Amino acid sequence: MKKYQKRIKRMLALLMPLFILLALVINIIVPDKDISFVENRSLQKFPEINKTSFVDGSFENKMSNWFGDQFVGRNGLIHLRYGILKLMGQKKINDIYLCGKQLIEDTKLPNKTQLSRNLNAINAFTEKHSDVDTSFMLIPNAVYVQNKRLPYFSDENDQGKIMDSIYNTLDSSVYSFDARKTLKKHSEEYLYYKSDHHWTSLGAFYTYQAWQKQQGNDDVSLKDYDQYVVSNNFRGTLANGSGSFGIKDDITIFVNKNLNDYYVQEPKQKNKGSIYDSSFLKTKDQYSVFLGGNKDIQRIELNNDSKRHLLLFKDSYANSFVQFIMNDYRSITIVDPRYYRDDIEKVMQEDLITDVMYLYNTNTFVEDTSLADVLGE
């Protein structure tokens, strides 16, 4: 038996260099990929060969990263790793909880310095524009709303305490809407995608309904909307980040039956006739069916009698929320601070802004590094 094992080890020792050499040759022949859709990140390209990179050792490091990133069959190995870890009883991969047929991202811890700066900027911007109605909507993630689905003995961070601290820091002049109670009430429903970190249109609807009710409008109902399932094979960021396979989602859009005519205006583009972009349903990034994904600025002009003009500061959670507020404003200016670099005061004046809203999911907001800069603080 021992002789047999020694022969196997010798054979592997002889064959391994050949396998590595063969893989290297194949990797050189096969064109490099720009992005790993399984991991949702950019991949290392073949490094530039020059004297400086050889001397400082950077070529060796980049070459190693290139081989690891471009290794043929790499995505299959990532899926295999996920399957093995799950069979071994692993409950968490890359800060993603494995919850049976659902994946749930853990709570992100705040960048305390930047978070404080962002909140102070919101307070200062509200004080500066005291004639504008300002609202703040912080959306809890599935890790808070659907925490009963987490594996036993999970060590998730307390997102509720983080949210309490944020709300307590905002001035009373900011109308703060807390969606936690509403979403908890519907926690057993399809509020969050199983393979992605975003909420679904249904989660956004319940939040909009509660927000309207708090403002005195009790008439919002699911019956007001036609619902269309536009995809049943969506695999999102959490499936990519964990290497999960077999978990898929439906994407449903909600169209108000009484929606007025509108058009969407984007920089350097022709006006678009819809807030939905079906071309993304043929790509990996299917969630971008809402608004066509994240842009620096978009404007929606609506044909109605409203005298209100909204400026919406947001992350991607707001992309599926916009479909519910279409009839509430004469115009909606949407700014994603992560990509916006122009003068926001000019927007306030030119777009006749009467209302400002901040809508973020909590995990994104606590790590944001761009909002204060856009607000001028």
Side-chain angles (χ1 to χ4, degrees):
M1 187 66 178
K2 288 183 178 180
K3 289 182 179 180
Y4 179 74
Q5 289 177 340
K6 287 182 178 180
R7 287 178 184 175
I8 294 293
K9 287 180 179 179
R10 274 197 213 113
M11 191 180 291
L12 288 174
L14 291 172
L15 291 177
M16 187 59 68
L18 295 177
F19 284 139
I20 294 174
L21 180 61
L22 179 62
L24 180 61
V25 171
I26 293 174
N27 281 357
I28 292 174
I29 295 173
V30 175
D32 286 351
K33 296 179 180 179
D34 294 324
I35 297 173
S36 168
F37 290 111
V38 172
E39 298 172 278
N40 195 34
R41 70 176 181 86
S42 299
L43 298 176
Q44 171 71 50
K45 290 295 198 66
F46 190 86
E48 182 181 352
I49 302 175
N50 55 54
K51 182 179 179 180
T52 302
S53 64
F54 274 107
V55 173
D56 64 18
S58 62
F59 178 81
E60 182 180 350
N61 291 332
K62 290 179 180 179
M63 189 68 180
S64 177
N65 291 334
W66 168 80
F67 188 71
D69 277 3
Q70 302 293 343
F71 187 86
V72 174
R74 184 172 185 275
N75 288 349
L77 292 175
I78 292 173
H79 290 310
L80 178 62
R81 172 179 175 268
Y82 166 83
I84 292 173
L85 290 176
K86 191 171 182 181
L87 286 173
M88 293 174 61
Q90 188 89 3
K91 299 299 182 183
K92 193 177 184 182
I93 299 175
N94 299 336
D95 291 329
I96 299 168
Y97 288 107
L98 313 184
C99 309
K101 297 181 179 180
Q102 181 174 359
L103 303 170
I104 295 180
E105 184 180 40
D106 196 3
T107 301
K108 300 291 187 182
L109 294 177
N111 177 337
K112 293 183 179 180
T113 301
Q114 184 63 40
L115 177 59
S116 176
R117 185 167 171 253
N118 287 344
L119 293 172
N120 289 336
I122 291 174
N123 289 335
F125 194 79
T126 303
E127 183 179 358
K128 182 177 182 179
H129 297 281
S130 57
D131 57 331
V132 172
D133 290 331
T134 300
S135 56
F136 180 85
M137 196 178 295
L138 189 64
I139 308 304
N141 298 92
V143 69
Y144 176 87
V145 175
Q146 296 176 331
N147 63 316
K148 292 183 179 179
R149 300 185 183 185
L150 296 174
Y152 288 114
F153 307 113
S154 298
D155 58 347
E156 74 276 9
N157 300 308
D158 191 340
Q159 191 172 81
K161 286 185 178 180
I162 296 172
M163 295 180 71
D164 287 340
S165 175
I166 291 171
Y167 280 121
N168 291 335
T169 306
L170 292 171
D171 287 347
S172 58
S173 55
V174 178
Y175 170 66
S176 298
F177 177 76
D178 192 338
R180 283 179 286 183
K181 185 176 180 181
T182 296
L183 293 174
K184 274 286 192 180
K185 179 181 177 182
H186 298 279
S187 62
E188 296 304 316
E189 299 179 49
Y190 192 38
L191 303 183
Y192 299 89
Y193 295 110
K194 296 174 291 184
S195 69
D196 191 71
H197 69 284
H198 290 103
W199 62 352
T200 64
S201 289
L202 183 61
F205 166 77
Y206 283 134
T207 300
Y208 173 72
Q209 183 184 48
W211 181 60
Q212 284 289 305
K213 185 175 182 179
Q214 191 163 313
Q215 297 181 84
N217 180 11
D218 295 329
D219 298 330
V220 177
S221 169
L222 279 173
K223 297 178 181 179
D224 299 334
Y225 299 87
D226 290 320
Q227 301 180 38
Y228 302 96
V229 178
V230 295
S231 174
N232 57 14
N233 63 351
F234 174 44
R235 296 186 71 253
T237 55
L238 301 185
N240 296 332
S242 65
S244 166
F245 51 88
I247 300 179
K248 295 182 180 180
D249 283 290
D250 295 337
I251 295 180
T252 303
I253 62 175
F254 285 46
V255 180
N256 192 318
K257 295 177 181 178
N258 299 311
L259 182 62
N260 293 303
D261 293 336
Y262 70 92
Y263 69 87
V264 183
Q265 182 186 53
E266 298 180 358
K268 300 179 182 179
Q269 292 188 15
K270 295 180 179 179
N271 296 336
K272 296 168 58 178
S274 176
I275 59 170
Y276 306 107
D277 191 336
S278 60
S279 66
F280 282 96
L281 298 175
K282 300 176 183 179
T283 71
K284 189 74 174 178
D285 186 18
Q286 292 189 23
Y287 183 77
S288 286
V289 66
F290 300 105
L291 296 184
N294 298 317
K295 313 283 178 63
D296 56 347
I297 186 168
Q298 295 169 287
R299 291 179 172 90
I300 305 174
E301 297 288 337
L302 299 112
N303 181 21
N304 58 39
D305 297 328
S306 176
K307 296 181 181 179
R308 302 166 65 191
H309 300 269
L310 175 68
L311 172 57
L312 174 62
F313 294 105
K314 61 88 182 182
D315 67 6
S316 54
Y317 262 52
N319 294 6
S320 57
F321 187 81
V322 168
Q323 61 190 330
F324 300 109
I325 61 175
M326 295 286 284
N327 276 348
D328 297 337
Y329 304 95
R330 178 66 180 81
S331 70
I332 303 173
T333 302
I334 305 168
V335 170
D336 191 324
R338 293 171 294 183
Y339 311 104
Y340 188 76
R341 298 294 179 268
D342 292 331
D343 184 3
I344 201 64
E345 293 298 335
K346 185 178 179 181
V347 173
M348 292 289 292
Q349 294 175 13
E350 292 184 350
D351 292 2
L352 306 175
I353 299 301
T354 62
D355 296 76
V356 170
M357 177 188 292
Y358 302 86
L359 197 161
Y360 285 79
N361 82 83
T362 304
N363 272 352
T364 298
F365 188 73
V366 300
E367 292 187 327
D368 178 82
T369 59
S370 52
L371 180 57
D373 292 331
V374 171
L375 295 179
E377 294 298 320

